[in-house]
Amino acid sequence: MRYAYALTTALLLGGATATLTTGYSAGAQVAQNDATQMRSVVPRAGAPESFADLTAQLQPAVVNISTRQRIEVQSQQNPFAGTPFEGLFNQRRGQGQPQQPQTREAQSLGSGFIISADGYIVTNNHVVSPTGRGTVEEITVTMPDGTEYDAELVGNDAASDLAVLKVSRSQPFPFVRFGDSSQARVGDWVVAIGNPFGLGGTVTSGIVSSVLRNTGQGGAYDRYIQTDAAINRGNSGGPLFDMQGNVIGINNAIFSPSGGSVGIGFAIPAEVAAPIVAQLRRGEEITRGYLGVSIQPVDSDLAESLGLQRNRGEIVQIVQPGEPGERAGLRPGDIVLRVNNRDVTPEQTLSFIVANIRPGTRVPIELVRDGRRQTVTATVGKRPSDEALRQQQLFSGEDDGPDGDGIGTGAQGGPLQERLGLSVVPLTPQIAAQLGAAAGTQGVVIAEVDPSSDAARKGLQRGDIVLTANYRPVATVAALEAVVRQARADGRDAVLLRLQRRGGPAQYLAVRLR
C-alpha cells in the first residue's frame, strides 16, 4: 500500500505487502446476458428498496484475483563488519564464492470483472504486478461459485494502473460493460462489488460523492470518481456500478487514517479506463503525449499577484532540454492557461490534457509570461517510459511537482547496494547535461549511497559518475555489477573506482566490498 499522509492510494491489495471518450454505449450487458430483464430491476427514482435483484445479475461477472510471487530479498549482512570477527563471519558464508540470491514467496489479492463472454477481465495493474524485486509466477481468477482458472496477462499499463487478463473455458462467461461515467452526477446511487480483505464476493452501496476528484498525488490520471461506498484492501480492480448495471468506475484508492474505509473511496472513471482497456485487449502499445515540462498548480497567492482567475492554470517549474516544450519556447515561470483550446484547471490538468493528445499533433498553448498573455505552438512528443522519466529527473535539482510529466528518482541497487553500498543509474545524455559532464562521457551515476558503507565513509555522493572499475569501463549498470562479481570471485576485498565529480578532475578511489 502507498501512503501519503492519510491517503491509502488504493493499492487495495488484501494481504499484500505489496481521456478519451469511451465509444461504449451506456447500456450494460448484464451478467446473465439478458438486457431486457435488467429494465425490470432498475430502482425507481429516489432511494431504492433493495439492491438485491441488481446485485444478483451483476455479481456473477465479478471475480477474485490472486497472484503467487517470488520476491528477492537482501542476503544477510555481516553483523561483525569492521570488527576483528569480520573474517569469521565471511568464512562461514564461504567468502569468495558467489552468493545465490535469497527469495521468499508472497501473495496478493484483488478484484476484477469480466467484460466479454470469451473471458477478458479488467483489474488494476498493481493487483497483478510484482512487489519490489519480485516476479509474478501465477495469476489465479476465482469465480463467485469457487471455480478457479489460470489467467494470462494480456496487457498492463502502470501509468493508468490498468491491466487486462484472459481466462478460457468452453462455455461463455457472464460479463458486464463499461458505461458513460461523464454522465455521473454527485448524489447518484452506486454499488461496489469486490473482494475486501480476501473475504470473497462482497457488495457495498453508496453515492457519488464527487466527480473528477483530484487527490493531489500528481500525474496525468489523478482524477477519480469519489464515492462513500465502503471500499477496502482487496477491492482494488473491482467495479463500481451505476443503477443501470454499467461499470462507471474501477475501484482503486481510499483516503484513510487507519487503512480501512472511512467513506472516501476513489474509482478510475470509465471514460478514462475504457479506451485504454480496449487498446490493451488488442495488444496495442499505449502512447501518450509529452511536453517535457514539470509544473505545479497556480495557488491563490500567485493568481492574486498576476491578476489571474483562481483554480486555473499551472506554472512551469522545469523545462527539459531538447524536449517538445523547450522547442515550442516554453520557459520556467510561464503560467499555462489553455492547451489545445482546453482550460487548464484542477480537474483538467496540463498533464491530463497533454497525455491524451496524439504524439505528433501541433497544439496551441496559451500562457502568461512577464504579465503578458501570448500563445506558442508545440508539436506534442511521445511520452517516454516511466523509468526513462525517473532517470531524466534524477539530478535536475528537484523532482516534478504535482501533475508533472515524471516523478521520482528510481535507481538500481541489488548486488551493488549489497556489496558497495551504492545504487546507480545509467548516464544518459539528459543526466550528463544536468551534471555538467562533457559530451560523450560514459559511465554510471550514483543515485544513493548507504551511509553505513565504506563508499560513504570515503565521501562518495549522489551525482558522482563512475567511469571505470578495476580499470574496466563501466558504461552500464551490468558492467559495474560484473566487475564486483569478479572481484568477489577473486577473493578481493575492494574495487578501484575512477570517479568524476561536477567541476573536478577524475580521480581513483578504492572502495571496500561488504
Side-chain angles (χ1 to χ4, degrees):
M1 306 229 351
R2 298 188 299 245
Y3 289 89
Y5 182 52
L7 181 66
T8 305
T9 52
L11 302 183
L12 300 173
L13 299 178
T17 31
T19 6
L20 305 170
T21 56
T22 67
Y24 285 84
S25 63
Q29 173 66 48
V30 301
Q32 282 77 5
N33 307 335
D34 184 352
T36 59
Q37 187 179 6
M38 174 62 68
R39 288 192 286 271
S40 66
V41 300
V42 175
R44 295 176 181 175
E49 294 182 358
S50 173
F51 296 105
D53 290 337
L54 187 66
T55 299
Q57 295 194 41
L58 300 174
Q59 198 164 22
V62 182
V63 300
N64 298 339
I65 297 172
S66 62
T67 69
R68 184 168 58 84
Q69 306 180 19
R70 180 63 57 183
I71 309 297
E72 183 176 331
V73 296
Q74 193 171 33
S75 60
Q76 184 181 5
Q77 299 297 309
N78 187 345
F80 304 109
T83 74
F85 302 101
E86 178 177 3
L88 178 62
F89 182 85
N90 288 332
Q91 290 175 11
R92 293 184 61 185
R93 295 185 63 200
Q95 182 179 9
Q97 300 299 319
Q99 299 295 318
Q100 295 299 319
Q102 299 181 15
T103 63
R104 64 177 176 84
E105 189 171 287
Q107 294 181 327
S108 67
L109 295 173
S111 306
F113 55 98
I114 306 173
I115 59 170
S116 66
D118 55 350
Y120 283 93
I121 296 170
V122 176
T123 187
N124 285 150
N125 175 64
H126 71 258
V127 170
V128 293
S129 294
T131 302
R133 294 176 58 84
T135 56
V136 174
E137 297 184 334
E138 183 179 85
I139 303 174
T140 301
V141 168
T142 304
M143 300 293 290
D145 64 4
T147 306
E148 295 185 350
Y149 298 93
D150 291 332
E152 169 197 357
L153 179 62
V154 175
N156 61 313
D157 178 52
S160 61
D161 198 15
L162 294 169
V164 175
L165 309 177
K166 179 71 166 64
V167 293
S168 301
R169 71 178 185 187
S170 57
Q171 296 85 17
F173 287 96
F175 64 95
V176 291
R177 282 183 177 166
F178 284 111
D180 185 358
S181 61
S182 67
Q183 300 303 309
R185 300 192 306 160
V186 173
D188 282 348
W189 282 101
V190 287
V191 171
I193 305 179
N195 177 33
F197 301 109
L199 292 173
T202 298
V203 182
T204 57
S205 67
I207 63 170
V208 173
S209 303
S210 177
V211 294
L212 301 183
R213 172 67 75 198
N214 186 309
T215 67
Q217 296 303 290
Y221 294 100
D222 184 23
R223 46 191 281 144
Y224 299 94
I225 295 174
Q226 182 181 326
T227 180
D228 67 349
I231 296 173
N232 288 285
R233 288 182 295 168
N235 273 112
S236 268
L240 186 70
F241 292 106
D242 64 15
M243 291 297 97
Q244 284 69 47
N246 300 312
V247 179
I248 62 168
I250 301 173
N251 298 321
N252 181 260
I254 60 174
F255 186 94
S256 172
S258 64
S261 174
V262 294
I264 303 178
F266 303 101
I268 303 170
E271 61 182 308
V272 173
I276 296 174
V277 167
Q279 288 181 270
L280 292 175
R281 185 173 168 180
R282 294 191 298 265
E284 297 176 0
E285 179 187 7
I286 306 297
T287 59
R288 297 181 174 87
Y290 176 72
L291 288 180
V293 297
S294 302
I295 65 273
Q296 288 182 327
V298 172
D299 60 24
S300 58
D301 290 339
L302 180 57
E304 183 70 26
S305 67
L306 297 177
L308 300 174
Q309 281 183 263
R310 295 191 178 189
N311 295 322
R312 185 181 174 197
E314 291 179 328
I315 183 170
V316 176
Q317 298 285 10
I318 300 172
V319 179
Q320 292 294 334
E323 299 295 351
E326 184 191 55
R327 292 196 294 269
L330 290 175
R331 303 176 187 171
D334 288 346
I335 311 296
V336 179
L337 302 178
R338 288 170 62 87
V339 176
N340 203 26
N341 302 315
R342 300 175 65 184
D343 290 339
V344 176
T345 67
E347 294 77 25
Q348 187 172 255
T349 64
L350 184 149
S351 289
F352 177 79
I353 296 172
V354 172
N356 290 285
I357 297 176
R358 186 182 299 276
T361 304
R362 288 175 58 82
V363 298
I365 300 176
E366 299 177 37
L367 55 89
V368 173
R369 178 182 296 164
D370 297 328
R372 296 187 297 273
R373 294 183 180 237
Q374 56 184 283
T375 300
V376 300
T377 301
T379 300
V380 176
K382 179 181 177 182
R383 180 184 174 90
S385 67
D386 289 342
E387 178 61 26
L389 287 172
R390 283 192 292 269
Q391 293 184 15
Q392 186 182 89
Q393 294 295 323
L394 187 55
F395 303 99
S396 61
E398 59 179 296
D399 294 331
D400 287 350
D403 300 321
D405 275 341
I407 295 177
T409 56
Q412 298 183 36
L416 298 179
Q417 181 69 45
E418 180 181 350
R419 300 302 184 197
L420 281 176
L422 301 176
S423 295
V424 301
V425 297
L427 178 65
T428 65
Q430 291 86 355
I431 295 177
Q434 293 166 14
L435 296 176
T441 301
Q442 292 189 329
V444 295
V445 187
I446 297 174
E448 298 176 31
V449 182
D450 185 340
S452 66
S453 66
D454 186 58
R457 288 190 290 271
K458 291 180 176 174
L460 272 71
Q461 59 187 249
R462 175 183 167 91
D464 288 348
I465 302 173
V466 182
L467 303 172
T468 68
N470 285 351
Y471 300 107
R472 291 171 55 184
V474 286
T476 65
V477 177
L480 180 56
E481 289 177 340
V483 173
V484 171
R485 283 196 302 270
Q486 187 62 50
R488 293 290 297 180
D490 293 342
R492 297 184 182 179
D493 293 329
V495 171
L496 181 63
L497 303 180
R498 188 167 187 251
L499 301 164
Q500 173 77 55
R501 182 168 294 172
R502 183 197 295 267
Q507 297 183 354
Y508 285 98
L509 186 68
V511 178
R512 289 186 62 83
L513 299 174
R514 304 195 290 187

